[in-house]
Amino acid sequence: MTMKDQKEEINEIVSTVPTQSLIQDLRQIIDGARSRVAAQVNSELTLMYWHIGERINREVLGNERAEYGKQIVATVAQQLQMEYGTKGFDEKSIRRMMRFAVIFPDIQIVAPLARKLSFSHFQEVMCLKDKLQREFYLTLAASERWSKRQLREKIDGMLFERTAISAKPEELIKKELSELRDKDVVSPDLVFKSPYFLEFTGLKSMYSEKSLEDCLVVNLEQFIIELGNGFCFVARQKRMIIDGEDFYLDLLFYHRRLHRLIAIDLKKGGFKAAYKGQMELYLRWLEENEMEPGEETPLGLLLCTEGGEEQIELLQLDKSGIKVAQYLTELPPRHVLMNQIQKTMEAAKAHFDNLDDNCN
């Protein structure tokens, strides 16, 4: 049999459906094994960097001479490069490992995160001064499988400051983050945020609620990205017949990790007390007619251009499963936006602290 005949015979065998199915199965086995090996290698490297940094830090702290710290780092870097090569063991990298171990002193937190995140992820958050923010971003990055680029975008987009959980006391934030890490339990306050950045709609000051809805549906992928991981689109202008009258909900989503339907109503202007009754009607109808076995009760999200903090506080919307958030179709300069978000976060935290004091 000639080489040409052999190739033709092989091609005929490969082209058959059973062979294609076999090869696809083998690809999955090989790709899966490679991914697991890469993840294991990545995890071990991250832990190695932590242990190197921690060991050198102990050595430096154990010596009273400040000059000793500079000398030992240079000496260690030179010796390690001689034995293991220059890549990754230069003086700058060694100091980065030392800083890594200082910023994240608890190996019990580092180890499980290292199984899902690279050392680059840890480096991205090392510039953050707030310990709680670092824990927040790393926990969500591991839970939602963010790339390094996505993590940087979340930090630049001030996700922590905008997420509802940021208004809570530190102990409660740590508790919810711990439950997400250890039990994969997601709370609504880790899902909802304010404000939502809707600048991708291209809308300026003069637009209607319908125009906003149209733009969000046209740019549905970007809207879902802004809503966050886990949101799935269900319906637009969801029709509900109550007492023979038609009612229409602007947008209906489902959140896979919360196991809930999420009803979204779009409002131009500030929050009004009447919105509560309208949303409660939608939620109870969805609970009775759309909720599947095993799901949690639906939640409502009212998106407004302005807040109405006093009304929201008096109406106790959280007890009704309703969230109110601001949205922006035009973003101000970054420093102005940061100040606005910081003030909103501080006000929300003060409100939460007052509630806690009243309960005590």
Side-chain angles (χ1 to χ4, degrees):
M1 182 181 289
T2 65
M3 289 289 293
K4 182 179 179 181
D5 292 335
Q6 287 179 334
K7 288 181 179 180
E8 289 178 352
E9 184 177 352
I10 291 172
N11 288 335
E12 288 178 6
I13 295 172
V14 169
S15 64
T16 63
V17 173
T19 304
Q20 286 293 316
S21 177
L22 171 63
I23 291 175
Q24 181 59 30
D25 288 346
L26 296 179
R27 286 195 190 107
Q28 291 177 355
I29 293 171
I30 294 168
D31 290 343
R34 285 179 171 177
S35 296
R36 289 190 294 273
V37 169
Q40 182 64 32
V41 170
N42 174 71
S43 174
E44 290 297 330
L45 279 174
T46 301
L47 293 177
M48 179 189 74
Y49 295 150
W50 187 90
H51 283 293
I52 288 174
E54 191 274 337
R55 180 64 184 87
I56 297 174
N57 287 338
R58 275 194 288 126
E59 182 69 23
V60 172
L61 288 172
N63 194 291
E64 295 180 357
R65 292 187 299 118
E67 189 63 28
Y68 177 74
K70 297 179 181 179
Q71 294 174 348
I72 196 64
V73 173
T75 302
V76 164
Q78 185 177 12
Q79 186 64 35
L80 291 179
Q81 287 181 88
M82 288 174 57
E83 296 185 26
Y84 298 102
T86 58
K87 186 177 180 180
F89 294 108
D90 57 281
E91 189 171 339
K92 184 178 179 181
S93 296
I94 295 295
R95 292 193 180 279
R96 191 179 296 125
M97 296 175 203
M98 295 169 66
R99 186 162 175 256
F100 177 36
V102 168
I103 293 176
F104 300 99
D106 190 351
I107 189 62
Q108 300 302 320
I109 291 180
V110 173
L113 290 173
R115 288 194 285 269
K116 297 180 179 179
L117 301 175
S118 68
F119 183 55
S120 297
H121 285 89
F122 286 93
Q123 286 181 278
E124 281 295 324
V125 303
M126 282 165 63
C127 61
L128 299 174
K129 296 179 180 179
D130 187 80
K131 178 182 177 182
L132 204 55
Q133 286 192 30
R134 294 195 295 266
E135 185 179 350
F136 169 86
Y137 283 113
L138 288 177
T139 300
L140 264 69
S143 176
E144 300 184 3
R145 306 283 183 177
W146 293 344
S147 65
K148 176 186 172 183
R149 180 182 61 81
Q150 287 175 307
L151 173 58
R152 186 183 302 121
E153 289 173 352
K154 302 294 185 183
I155 295 172
D156 291 342
M158 295 172 283
L159 180 63
F160 174 77
E161 292 87 344
R162 293 192 290 140
T163 302
I165 198 175
S166 64
K168 290 187 171 183
E170 183 174 334
E171 297 75 20
L172 289 180
I173 298 177
K174 287 184 175 181
K175 181 175 182 292
E176 292 193 18
L177 291 176
S178 176
E179 288 181 349
L180 177 57
R181 278 194 308 269
D182 302 337
K183 303 176 184 177
D184 198 33
V185 174
V186 180
S187 74
D189 284 339
L190 280 169
V191 171
F192 295 103
K193 53 182 176 270
S194 182
Y196 286 89
F197 295 162
L198 307 183
E199 79 286 0
F200 56 82
T201 60
L203 296 172
K204 303 303 180 183
S205 56
M206 300 298 292
Y207 62 89
S208 64
E209 291 173 2
K210 185 180 183 306
S211 297
L212 175 61
E213 182 184 324
D214 290 340
C215 288
L216 292 179
V217 173
V218 168
N219 298 280
L220 188 59
E221 182 178 354
Q222 287 176 279
F223 184 40
I224 290 176
I225 290 173
E226 176 59 15
L227 286 175
N229 186 58
F231 278 89
C232 304
F233 180 69
V234 176
R236 174 189 187 183
Q237 287 297 304
K238 176 67 178 176
R239 185 187 181 198
M240 308 175 190
I241 303 175
I242 305 170
D243 289 334
E245 186 179 350
D246 287 341
F247 293 84
Y248 293 91
L249 171 67
D250 289 338
L251 299 167
L252 181 62
F253 286 82
Y254 181 78
H255 197 282
R256 295 172 58 216
R257 301 189 71 183
L258 290 177
H259 307 291
R260 299 173 186 263
L261 287 166
I262 308 294
I264 298 181
D265 226 18
L266 307 170
K267 302 297 182 184
K268 184 83 186 299
F271 171 81
K272 296 178 181 178
Y275 296 160
K276 178 189 178 185
Q278 184 183 40
M279 180 58 79
E280 283 180 324
L281 185 66
Y282 294 159
L283 294 179
R284 299 295 74 80
W285 188 93
L286 290 170
E287 184 177 353
E288 184 174 327
N289 296 278
E290 296 288 334
M291 202 171 115
E292 297 289 343
E295 291 181 357
E296 301 292 333
T297 54
L299 295 176
L301 175 61
L302 289 165
L303 288 179
C304 307
T305 51
E306 301 170 20
E309 285 73 19
E310 191 171 353
Q311 292 184 63
I312 294 170
E313 180 180 343
L314 291 171
L315 290 170
Q316 299 180 330
L317 295 181
D318 272 349
K319 294 182 179 180
S320 302
I322 300 172
K323 303 288 183 180
V324 179
Q326 185 185 8
Y327 66 88
L328 301 173
T329 58
E330 297 179 82
L331 300 186
R334 182 173 175 79
H335 70 280
V336 175
L337 183 61
M338 288 179 67
N339 287 336
Q340 290 177 351
I341 292 175
Q342 189 66 35
K343 287 179 181 177
T344 301
M345 185 179 75
E346 290 172 358
K349 190 177 283 289
H351 167 62
F352 200 102
D353 291 341
N354 288 337
L355 288 177
D356 193 43
D357 291 340
N358 291 335
C359 291
N360 295 331

